[in-house]
Amino acid sequence: MRVAQLAKAAAVSTETVRHYTALNLLQPRRNPHNGYQEYASEDLSRLRFIARARRLGFSLKDVQAILARADSGGAPCGEVRDLLSERLNALQAHIDECQRLAGVMQAALSDWASKPQCAPDGLAICRLIEEFELAGESRPATPCPAH
């Protein structure tokens, strides 16, 4: 199989196939008659594995380590479970942070709904931001200067 055929069979782009080949995740053979790279059915299985691992949240570095373990005859499943657990914990922490930030943004928009727009005056750039009270802060309100 050539690059385009492999990409189509695995439902990925030709750029993806080339990138994974450059990273030595796929190892095509050179056709001695025409110099083209040719991929075997094992490469298709491997490419499908890589694509599935990426969709599960594994990084390319993770995938390289998993494949290296498997290529050396080791069983990577224990590492896979540990890595996915780590990724899930990190993702949950990121989700929690995003939810916290969304709450702060909602509070800011609610607070700012009735406040006037002020032009920069040499003391403030945007009073909405500068006067918004973040958790643990206390900011004195300063009115917009008269125009």
Side-chain angles (χ1 to χ4, degrees):
M1 245 178 296
R2 301 238 307 262
V3 170
Q5 295 166 316
L6 181 67
K8 184 176 181 179
V12 300
S13 69
T14 56
E15 292 80 18
T16 297
V17 172
R18 288 185 181 100
H19 182 64
Y20 293 169
T21 300
L23 293 174
N24 291 318
L25 295 173
L26 301 172
Q27 298 179 343
R29 290 101 188 124
R30 286 269 176 210
N31 182 320
H33 302 292
N34 59 22
Y36 291 147
Q37 292 182 326
E38 293 183 350
Y39 295 88
S41 60
E42 295 81 24
D43 293 306
L44 177 57
S45 297
R46 195 170 173 103
L47 181 56
R48 286 178 173 156
F49 172 84
I50 295 166
R52 180 167 291 216
R54 297 287 289 141
R55 286 192 306 271
L56 276 165
F58 291 99
S59 69
L60 282 177
K61 184 178 175 183
D62 296 337
V63 171
Q64 287 173 316
I66 293 164
L67 290 173
R69 172 63 66 102
D71 291 346
S72 70
C77 293
E79 287 177 50
V80 166
R81 282 187 197 102
D82 292 344
L83 282 170
L84 193 60
S85 179
E86 288 174 20
R87 294 294 179 279
L88 180 57
N89 290 336
L91 178 61
Q92 190 58 56
H94 183 69
I95 290 168
D96 293 346
E97 176 59 20
C98 287
Q99 289 175 331
R100 183 203 63 77
L101 181 57
V104 170
M105 290 176 166
Q106 288 171 341
L109 285 174
S110 177
D111 182 59
W112 297 344
S114 62
K115 294 195 174 180
Q117 294 189 45
C118 300
D121 62 0
L123 299 175
I125 297 169
C126 177
R127 291 184 189 281
L128 295 177
I129 292 173
E130 293 164 343
E131 294 177 1
F132 183 70
E133 289 186 24
L134 294 168
E137 286 186 338
S138 178
R139 313 281 289 172
T142 54
C144 287
H147 292 31

